[in-house]
């Protein structure tokens, strides 16, 4: 029992047995309040904050207590940042600098921006008072903000991504067209990496988990051999499983590239968007299977709406096909799998474990429903998860 609790006991005195029982209960509430704060904010609360949170827990309002913790600057500068940084590089490491992708995530949470727009919005966040200004060609703005330990809770400011990135508003697709994601996932390759990492980070599934070998191969690009090693069974049992669904979806990225230059010439180190002109990378190794699909434009199709991947619960109010990254991002972010993925990631961040037992899974299901029905406010999910785990 700490000194505060002892002094409380003294105040109550021994005259009233009921009051003593109540004090014992409130000691437990103090632990719960502290746990809520520690897990959301990543730092211990001040005594005054803890007192206020404890009172709310005791009053049967633990969610309000959690809401206090989500106002702590360290929730933004530490918890949210560390959660998002691994989504923004191929190694999935947290040891990477702050960038526009992470800043946009933090800002969206702070402002209760509907999170189902995360993969489609014309939105970025910059940091007030930090020089140089955010640039399409480097990450210096964000690195300086981090090096100067700027309070992101107060300093993040929403801006149009199209303005900062210098692309048309219709070409923006939230995190997908952030500078950090472009540099990590549109660089070189065939733009399938952007699709795979978006699936991993925001649908909580790597490609093996969505393989479906029953779908038609007609949109698989020319670079995928139909008889790898001379054996067509490998194509039919393996390659087709990912590429039949992924290639029609990653066609949405046909006009994007990250210009990292060549051995001879330096690049602009920025996202490049070429409306009407499919990037050359879509025709890499086009003799591997010449009759394969030749990408004419950025029209995408979600063939996973049928078959085993219908369990991702795609939105019934979207058509399942479209043009470009923005509508494809909407397709992903309005699925139930996306919403549940966000909830599970928050659960792990706040509870320090994956949802395990029946109570956890029931809570994840209910939090997902509330998240989808109440404007996709992710901050609320943090508060709810912290309350769920406050007794751990
Ligand atoms: C589990 C899912 C999956 C399976 C199965 C799969 N691929 Fe892929 N493939 C991918 C992904 C994801 C990429 C993008 C990789 C990247 O750029 O990070 C890719 C990229 C490619 C590329 C582009 C070149 C490159 O390496 O980026 C070719 C060619 C290719 N795959 C051929 C095949 C062939 C042939 C098979 C069967 C032997 C196959 N793939 C099986 C998911 C898969």
């Amino acid at each position: 029992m700490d000194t505060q609790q002892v002094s409380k006991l003294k105040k109550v005195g021994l005259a009233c047995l009921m009051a003593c029982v109540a004090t014992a209960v409130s000691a437990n509430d103090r632990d719960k309040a502290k746990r809520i704060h520690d897990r959301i904010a990543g730092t211990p609360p001040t005594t005054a904050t803890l007192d206020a949170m404890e009172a709310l827990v005791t009053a049967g309002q633990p969610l309000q207590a959690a809401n206090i913790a989500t106002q702590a600057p360290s929730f933004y500068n530490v918890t949210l940042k560390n959660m998002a940084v691994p989504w923004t590089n191929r190694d999935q490491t947290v040891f990477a600098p702050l960038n526009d992708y992470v800043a946009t995530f933090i800002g969206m949470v702070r402002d209760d921006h509907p999170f189902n727009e995360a993969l489609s919005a014309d939105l970025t966040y910059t940091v007030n008072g930090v020089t140089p200004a955010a640039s399409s060609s480097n990450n210096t703005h964000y690195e300086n903000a981090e090096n100067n330990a700027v309070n992101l809770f107060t300093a993040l400011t929403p801006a149009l991504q199209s303005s900062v990135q210098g692309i048309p508003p219709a070409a923006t697709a939230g995190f997908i067209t952030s500078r950090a994601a472009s540099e990590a996932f549109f660089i070189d390759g065939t733009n399938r990496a952007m699709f795979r990492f978006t699936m991993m980070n925001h649908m909580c599934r790597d490609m093996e988990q969505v393989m479906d070998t029953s779908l038609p191969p007609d949109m698989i690009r020319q670079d995928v051999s139909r008889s790898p090693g001379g054996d067509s069974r490998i194509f039919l049992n393996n390659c087709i499983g990912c590429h039949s669904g992924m290639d029609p979806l990653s066609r949405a990225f046909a006009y994007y590239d990250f210009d990292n230059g060549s051995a001879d010439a330096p690049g602009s180190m920025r996202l490049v968007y070429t409306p009407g002109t499919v990037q050359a990378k879509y025709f890499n190794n086009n003799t591997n299977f010449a009759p394969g699909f030749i990408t004419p434009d950025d029209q995408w199709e979600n063939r996973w709406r049928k078959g085993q991947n219908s369990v991702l619960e795609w939105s019934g109010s979207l058509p399942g096909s479209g043009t470009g990254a923005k509508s494809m991002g909407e397709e992903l972010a309005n699925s139930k799998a996306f919403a549940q993925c966000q909830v599970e990631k928050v659960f792990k961040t706040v509870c320090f474990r994956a949802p395990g037992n029946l109570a956890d899974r029931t809570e994840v299901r209910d939090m997902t429903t509330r998240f989808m029905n109440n404007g996709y406010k992710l901050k609320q999910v943090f508060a709810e998860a912290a309350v769920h785990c406050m007794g751990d």
Side-chain angles (χ1 to χ4, degrees):
M1 204 176 283
D2 64 28
T3 47
Q4 213 165 9
Q5 287 158 4
V6 171
S7 79
K8 227 182 245 174
L9 269 176
K10 278 183 192 153
K11 264 184 230 152
V12 171
L14 295 173
C16 173
L17 200 67
M18 290 310 290
C20 297
V21 170
T23 304
V25 170
S26 86
N28 193 22
D29 289 347
R30 196 163 183 85
D31 292 342
K32 288 179 179 171
K34 183 158 186 331
R35 201 160 289 136
I36 290 173
H37 191 279
D38 288 354
R39 292 182 165 196
I40 289 178
T43 51
T46 63
T47 306
T49 299
L50 186 56
D51 287 347
M53 288 179 62
E54 179 191 2
L56 286 164
V57 172
T58 304
Q61 299 178 320
L63 258 185
Q64 276 80 344
N67 288 341
I68 292 179
T70 62
Q71 300 302 302
S74 56
F75 173 52
Y76 302 88
N77 272 50
V78 180
T79 306
L80 292 177
K81 187 181 80 175
N82 290 346
M83 185 176 165
V85 167
W87 308 335
T88 69
N89 61 77
R90 289 199 188 211
D91 297 336
Q92 304 191 287
T93 176
V94 72
F95 302 107
L98 181 71
N99 56 51
D100 63 335
Y101 187 154
V102 177
T104 305
F105 171 69
I106 299 172
M108 287 180 82
V109 175
R110 184 196 64 185
D111 295 347
D112 287 329
H113 191 105
F115 203 74
N116 59 331
E117 294 181 12
L119 307 179
S120 61
D122 182 1
L123 178 65
T124 190
Y125 277 76
T126 60
V127 191
N128 245 348
V130 173
T131 53
S135 163
S136 59
S137 297
N138 63 64
N139 192 44
T140 313
H141 175 74
Y142 296 96
E143 282 167 35
N144 286 356
E146 186 167 47
N147 292 339
N148 295 322
V150 173
N151 179 339
L152 298 175
F153 178 49
T154 51
L156 281 178
T157 313
L160 291 175
Q161 188 191 66
S162 51
S163 308
V164 177
Q165 285 281 66
I167 55 174
T172 59
F175 299 159
I176 292 172
T177 47
S178 65
R179 187 178 178 280
S182 311
E183 182 168 23
F185 310 126
F186 279 146
I187 198 167
D188 304 330
T190 59
N191 284 358
R192 292 171 176 120
M194 179 64 83
F195 184 76
R196 176 186 171 217
F197 279 92
T198 306
M199 286 296 297
M200 287 168 71
N201 293 323
H202 297 296
M203 304 289 276
C204 292
R205 282 162 175 83
D206 202 349
M207 297 302 298
E208 285 79 11
Q209 292 161 277
V210 289
M211 277 181 76
D212 181 353
T213 52
S214 71
L215 296 172
D218 56 292
M219 278 206 198
I220 298 182
R221 294 184 219 165
Q222 292 169 307
D223 57 352
V224 179
S225 167
R226 284 358 182 227
S227 52
D231 189 348
S232 62
R233 286 171 305 177
I234 295 176
F235 175 76
L236 292 171
N237 295 326
N238 181 262
C239 322
I240 195 176
C242 289
H243 284 272
S244 60
M246 170 175 63
D247 284 14
L249 283 163
S250 59
R251 186 174 159 190
F253 306 141
Y255 302 153
Y256 297 92
D257 190 21
F258 184 79
D259 178 16
N260 56 321
S262 64
D264 308 324
S268 59
M269 298 305 283
R270 55 166 294 179
L271 173 66
V272 171
Y273 178 69
T274 54
T277 303
V278 176
Q279 290 290 333
K281 58 172 77 175
Y282 276 71
F283 311 113
N284 283 355
N285 298 309
N286 56 0
T287 56
N288 281 4
F289 184 68
F293 187 71
I294 302 170
T295 305
D297 54 34
D298 67 347
Q299 276 185 52
W300 58 270
E301 197 180 306
N302 182 5
R303 295 186 165 180
W304 289 343
R305 281 184 165 249
K306 297 207 177 77
Q308 66 183 56
N309 288 320
S310 59
V311 298
L312 303 188
E313 295 191 46
W314 307 97
S315 166
S317 51
L318 292 172
S321 61
T323 302
K326 191 185 277 293
S327 57
M328 210 276 277
E330 282 171 357
E331 172 78 351
L332 297 179
N334 286 288
S335 67
K336 177 90 166 284
F338 174 89
Q340 187 174 324
C341 178
Q342 309 312 319
V343 170
E344 284 173 3
K345 287 186 294 183
V346 170
F347 188 105
K348 279 186 207 157
T349 300
V350 170
C351 299
F352 299 159
R353 59 183 172 84
N357 57 31
L358 183 63
D360 286 352
R361 280 180 280 128
T362 306
E363 183 61 17
V364 165
R365 189 197 62 202
D366 294 347
M367 282 194 288
T368 303
T369 305
R370 287 192 294 269
F371 180 52
M372 295 178 79
N373 290 344
N374 299 321
Y376 283 87
K377 296 179 185 124
L378 204 56
K379 201 194 298 156
Q380 184 67 18
V381 180
F382 278 89
E384 291 178 11
V387 169
H388 176 74
C389 300
M390 68 184 177
D392 283 8

